[in-house]
Amino acid sequence: MEASSERRLACDVLVIGSGASGLAAAVTAAHFGLRVVLAEKAPVFGGTSAWSGGWLWIPRNPLARAAGIDEPPEAPREYLRSELGNRASDPRLEVFLENGPEMVAFFQDHTAMRWMDGNAVPDFHETPGAAKGGRSVTAMPYDGRELGDWIGKLRPPLDVASLWGMGIASGADMRHFFRASRSPRSALYATGRIARHLRDLALHRRGMQLVNGNALVARLLRSALDKGVTLLDSAPVLALQRQGGRVTGARLSTPRGALLVEAVRGVVLATGGFPHDPARLDALAPQAGGGAGHFSAAPRANTGDGLRLAEGAGAAVDGELASNVALAPVSLVPRRDGPPAHFPHLVERAKPGIIAVTPQGRRFVSEADSYHDFMRALIAATPPGEPPHCWLIADHKAQRRWGLGWSKPFPFPLGPAIRSGYLKRGRTLEELARACAIPGVALAETVARFNAHAERGEDPDFQRGESLYNRVQGDAEHGPNPSLGPLLRGPFYAVRIVPGSLGTFAGVRTDAAARVLDRDGLPIPGLYAVGNDMASVMGGHYPSGGITLGPGMTFGYIAGRVLAGLPVTGLSQEETP
């Protein structure tokens, strides 16, 4: 196509990527009067955020303070110092802590966002400054019909981790499903939820009871539409446009051909990091499987586009973090018509009657620890040169109560998971060990030792169930320890766990105004990065759930204000030109 005939679109701000961080930047900029275009590579909007739990870590947020949880400003700062070490001196952290509560209030007051508190959600670790709750928020459930025809453009929940495409929220919603076989009230609740979902499938071809990250993205998408943001799907970026050292827009590939988007104020990168970029995974995450042995639960469209675009404009990537990826245990679900799906194990590991063992048949971690800590322990327990993997094991009662990965709990049948090879089964532990190629004597010894202590609610080997986070992740109705229960009655089941992630932490270097920095540490005019394209403000540490979406939406909000020429709390005028 000749340059003279190339289609052009003028705007103030171009946002590349449609996860929560990119949508936050777009909505904020549009609210303050800017013309905003948002371009998404995939045919649906939402990125990894739409598949996530939807939680944001925002200390001292308005919902917590309204509930009487008014912790001193120093408390979260103390926690971050104890968790991040020298990375706690990152100036972006202070700006995040000051603007996070402001961001929550802005979206509550001026958009379709409605928040729900996480006042009972504790931090991951009990180090100085840790909180028992009050630092988390998530979106309220949302009726997908409010999106009108745009509901077809919302990324649906991850199919293998949902019930026929129906999302199940953490908290009371999930508890009802787990208790459905034992409580008439919960059975009635679950039946009603499923009936409404089946009706939605018949009428709309997808669920309309949106929860978790799907609700978060839906509310942000509704807000973007309300504020006049131009939304382009199936529009990957071909190249950034530069003039005199300034980023002035980008050339997109669209179903109608190439499109030059000219952005007067700037371009915001929010493409979701590099969880499916084999070359960069080889370079930055070899211990986590590298490119060939890393199985991220993020959408496959997240291939590192933002980092490559930024590097082409002179940016520097920070790949020297404590961890360059947000680690998570994943199992591979066979599919008839393509590569295996990646199931993230975020829930069942902490439940009574479930343990994890190495290929040698030995435990290596408190299974109730966070997904990131679980995988760090597995990597540390793996001999050099061997690919990390382990087995998640449950007795019959635990599998039927909680499920085990893709193999769902009662009343769902186990046959498909067993026939596909996904779920291993043995009438005895010895038979299960043979099916998994685990030393039978070692597995039997491990389970016997675990059971003897679990009966008393103790785990002297890995202190499972001692922390509040461990106990909250367990079963509140089980005693004496919510997270500990013996494996007693066969048949026994196992699922193979491999290295995976929920996303990446390494990213382009930015300042506290979300401006991308060049290799000399100077801002690249007109270029911003948020979400997983921005190097993690946590320095590759994982102190609590929501430390990706919390800073992501906060810096999206900050970028929107900076692009609109508005002041930002904690930044001088020189830092927000």
Side-chain angles (χ1 to χ4, degrees):
M1 178 180 290
E2 296 295 331
S4 60
S5 64
E6 183 174 49
R7 292 188 305 127
R8 294 171 180 260
L9 178 62
C11 65
D12 295 309
V13 177
L14 170 63
V15 178
I16 304 173
S18 67
S21 306
L23 281 166
V27 171
T28 304
H31 173 79
F32 290 113
L34 300 186
R35 299 168 299 161
V36 180
V37 173
L38 184 145
E40 167 57 48
K41 174 183 181 179
V44 289
F45 296 98
T48 308
S49 302
W51 281 356
S52 73
W55 287 98
L56 288 72
W57 193 71
I58 305 289
R60 307 187 76 244
N61 66 76
L63 283 76
R65 300 181 75 174
I69 304 175
D70 195 5
E71 60 178 333
E74 178 60 20
R77 291 167 172 82
E78 180 184 21
Y79 183 57
L80 291 175
R81 286 194 297 270
S82 65
E83 288 285 300
L84 310 190
N86 60 5
R87 284 282 182 170
S89 61
D90 188 330
R92 298 176 303 166
L93 275 175
E94 187 63 29
V95 175
F96 159 63
L97 290 173
E98 291 196 37
N99 285 273
E102 186 178 307
M103 178 274 295
V104 170
F106 167 81
F107 279 96
Q108 175 76 22
D109 294 342
H110 301 293
T111 76
M113 183 61 65
R114 296 295 177 267
W115 300 105
M116 186 166 59
D117 73 70
N119 290 343
V121 178
D123 289 326
F124 282 171
H125 308 129
E126 295 185 349
T127 53
K132 296 179 179 179
R135 292 177 176 173
S136 301
V137 297
T138 190
M140 283 187 174
Y142 190 64
D143 185 345
R145 292 173 296 183
E146 295 293 327
L147 281 175
D149 292 342
W150 282 91
I151 186 64
K153 290 297 183 181
L154 173 67
R155 182 182 293 277
L158 180 61
D159 56 355
V160 293
S162 62
L163 186 58
W164 304 311
M166 181 181 72
I168 299 175
S170 57
D173 194 31
M174 186 173 291
R175 284 195 295 272
H176 276 302
F177 278 90
F178 280 144
R179 298 181 75 247
S181 63
R182 301 182 302 114
S183 162
R185 178 170 173 265
S186 291
L188 183 64
Y189 175 91
T191 301
R193 279 274 272 125
I194 292 172
R196 289 194 297 274
H197 180 67
L198 294 177
R199 180 199 62 194
D200 289 342
L201 290 179
L203 295 176
H204 308 287
R205 293 186 294 178
R206 65 153 293 158
M208 292 291 175
Q209 307 166 76
L210 308 184
V211 298
N212 303 332
N214 231 227
L216 178 71
V217 170
R219 289 183 175 276
L220 288 168
L221 192 59
R222 179 69 267 169
S223 303
L225 293 166
D226 291 344
K227 295 188 181 297
V229 175
T230 299
L231 299 169
L232 305 176
D233 65 274
S234 305
V237 176
L238 299 174
L240 293 178
Q241 295 297 109
R242 302 181 71 191
Q243 184 174 355
R246 181 180 183 85
V247 174
T248 58
R251 180 169 280 104
L252 313 180
S253 173
T254 77
R256 294 179 54 199
L259 173 67
L260 177 61
V261 179
E262 299 168 313
V264 176
R265 300 288 183 98
V267 174
V268 181
L269 299 174
T271 69
F274 60 96
H276 293 285
D277 179 351
R280 206 176 290 271
L281 287 168
D282 277 339
L284 298 183
Q287 299 88 354
H294 185 83
F295 304 94
S296 179
R300 295 181 190 270
N302 294 14
T303 55
D305 297 349
L307 274 63
R308 288 191 294 274
L309 291 168
E311 286 175 319
V317 170
D318 187 354
E320 298 180 353
L321 309 185
S323 174
N324 288 325
V325 296
L327 296 166
V330 164
S331 58
L332 303 181
V333 181
R335 291 191 188 272
R336 295 179 181 176
D337 56 353
H342 303 167
F343 185 101
H345 290 258
L346 309 181
V347 176
E348 86 277 48
R349 291 176 293 104
K351 305 304 184 187
I354 297 176
I355 63 169
V357 300
T358 65
Q360 293 73 43
R362 304 298 183 186
R363 291 179 69 222
F364 58 93
V365 71
S366 164
E367 295 86 350
D369 282 353
S370 76
Y371 34 88
H372 186 74
D373 291 342
F374 180 97
M375 286 307 301
R376 284 177 64 87
L378 175 59
I379 291 169
T382 301
E386 295 185 13
H389 77 274
C390 68
W391 293 91
L392 202 60
I393 296 176
D395 69 0
H396 185 72
K397 179 181 177 181
Q399 196 291 327
R400 294 285 71 193
R401 175 77 191 277
W402 311 111
L404 199 63
W406 178 57
S407 65
K408 293 179 171 57
F410 179 85
F412 298 95
L414 298 177
I418 293 172
R419 288 192 295 271
S420 71
Y422 173 82
L423 184 68
K424 304 297 184 183
R425 179 172 63 179
R427 290 170 297 175
T428 64
L429 286 172
E430 291 75 14
E431 188 175 305
L432 182 70
R434 287 195 297 272
C436 301
I438 298 173
V441 171
L443 180 61
E445 290 175 352
T446 294
V447 172
R449 176 175 174 80
F450 176 82
N451 285 352
H453 294 291
E455 290 274 16
R456 301 192 295 270
E458 302 170 353
D459 178 18
D461 295 324
F462 297 100
Q463 296 73 53
R464 175 170 163 182
E466 291 187 11
S467 73
L468 178 59
Y469 177 78
N470 277 193
R471 295 192 296 275
V472 166
Q473 294 296 104
D475 176 12
E477 299 177 355
H478 177 83
N481 190 317
S483 185
L484 285 169
L487 289 73
L488 298 174
R489 181 167 63 90
F492 299 91
Y493 304 92
V495 170
R496 188 172 185 265
I497 302 296
V498 295
S501 66
L502 302 181
T504 51
F505 284 149
V508 297
R509 297 182 188 273
T510 63
D511 64 10
R515 297 181 296 180
V516 174
L517 303 178
D518 65 16
R519 295 176 183 88
D520 295 322
L522 299 175
I524 298 174
L527 189 60
Y528 300 75
V530 298
N532 287 353
D533 283 353
M534 168 193 279
S536 167
V537 297
M538 301 294 169
H541 297 272
Y542 217 133
S544 197
I547 56 88
T548 297
L549 285 175
M553 279 195 65
T554 299
F555 280 100
Y557 166 74
I558 289 170
R561 289 189 64 92
V562 171
L563 285 158
L566 296 171
V568 173
T569 303
L571 293 181
S572 65
Q573 187 174 356
E574 290 74 20
E575 295 172 294
T576 57

